[in-house]
Amino acid sequence: MADVILKPTGNFDLTVEAEIVTPDNFAGKSSDEIGKLLVWQGPAEYPLADYFSIEGNGGSSAEDTTIIIDGNIPRVKRIGQEMTAGKVIIKGSAGMHIGSGMSGGEIIVEGDADSWAGMEMKGGSIHIKGNTKDHLGCAYRGSWKGMSGGRITVDGDAVSQVGGGLSGGEIIIGGSVEHFCGIRINGGLIYVKGNAFRTVGAEMTGGTIVIGGCIERFTPGFEMTDVESDIKFNDIECPGEYKKFTGDYAIPQKGKGTLYVSCDKNECL
């Protein structure tokens, strides 16, 4: 495995669009060749070397290439976009659209990530060790299909519209979420270990959502069907006792999803 180390050195007053930062694009290139790859900042393109120092050469293939970004890059967007293999490690926080559309490989963010992480992701894995913002694993605006495969793990909190339009794959949130978690999902799994504020599973027609904490405002359109304990989905264990609901019955003549809600934290339901 070959390591390419990027250290932020440039001016990031305007955000930088860096979708070329993937193992696929770095494979087979020397550090000089990698530095000549172009990124957008505002209306113009500039060499990657204007923004990062670059050490190491790409591997013989994407699978053999690891990119290590040594520093915070909250104003650099689209790292790992469309990647198919290899590994990206960010030793700090990341900007918007991390891993958007990726179909393979692994991304680790040791800090926080901005909005749209894993947008329309198809495969691979993203692990955000801090918090993230809106639209995690979501469909892009104007689209109905969000994440379709792979796994996103967030150790901290997410904000709103987690997994919007999810049709496959798994999203695991170690903390809490806010509004519209799982809106319009039709497949896949969302597991939130903490609390959710409102509109969980609105307009869902398939898939599964598990909320391990309290739902502040429960969504109309769900019907309780059972109580289950210590549920498990492949290697994902959800300990505790859960009320099982189906819905959203506000959506007529369509399939229904499954919503599990902690009994202990939602006694009023």
Side-chain angles (χ1 to χ4, degrees), residues 43-150:
E45 289 182 297
Y46 302 94
L48 183 65
D50 284 4
Y51 303 96
F52 295 91
S53 67
I54 301 159
E55 300 176 15
N57 304 317
S60 59
S61 66
E63 189 175 7
D64 293 328
T65 301
T66 295
I67 300 172
I68 301 170
I69 301 177
D70 190 4
N72 290 307
I73 50 165
R75 296 185 63 78
V76 180
K77 300 180 181 179
R78 304 185 186 280
I79 297 291
Q81 180 168 305
E82 305 288 345
M83 66 183 279
T84 66
K87 192 171 186 178
V88 176
I89 302 170
I90 300 174
K91 294 186 174 182
S93 295
M96 297 172 67
H97 295 280
I98 187 83
S100 291
M102 68 183 289
S103 58
E106 181 182 8
I107 297 175
I108 298 173
V109 181
E110 295 185 355
D112 299 332
D114 211 326
S115 300
W116 298 103
M119 183 197 76
E120 298 184 359
M121 180 178 174
K122 304 174 185 69
S125 68
I126 299 175
H127 184 183
I128 299 166
K129 296 186 178 182
N131 304 311
T132 190
K133 295 185 179 178
D134 299 320
H135 308 294
L136 178 75
C138 201
Y140 195 63
R141 297 193 191 281
S143 173
W144 289 89
K145 186 176 181 181
M147 179 179 171
S148 58

Side-chain angles (χ1 to χ4, degrees), residues 20 26 37 42 44 59 65 83 105 112 144 166 176 217 236 248 251:
I20 55 89
F26 284 15
L37 294 172
T65 301
M83 66 183 279
D112 299 332
W144 289 89
L166 183 78
S176 297
R217 299 181 186 176
I236 300 173
D248 182 358
I251 306 300

Side-chain angles (χ1 to χ4, degrees), residues 132-228:
T132 190
K133 295 185 179 178
D134 299 320
H135 308 294
L136 178 75
C138 201
Y140 195 63
R141 297 193 191 281
S143 173
W144 289 89
K145 186 176 181 181
M147 179 179 171
S148 58
R151 178 178 290 185
I152 301 175
T153 303
V154 178
D155 292 350
D157 299 329
V159 187
S160 297
Q161 296 201 359
V162 170
L166 183 78
S167 62
E170 301 151 341
I171 299 176
I172 305 166
I173 308 294
S176 297
V177 299
E178 293 188 8
H179 314 289
F180 294 102
C181 176
I183 185 171
R184 297 195 186 102
I185 77 168
N186 59 82
L189 170 70
I190 299 174
Y191 176 26
V192 178
K193 298 181 182 181
N195 303 322
F197 186 67
R198 68 183 182 103
T199 49
V200 174
E203 300 185 11
M204 70 186 294
T205 57
T208 302
I209 302 173
V210 181
I211 305 295
C214 171
I215 299 179
E216 184 74 19
R217 299 181 186 176
F218 195 71
T219 309
F222 283 83
E223 178 180 312
M224 184 173 169
T225 61
D226 203 355
V227 174
E228 297 184 13

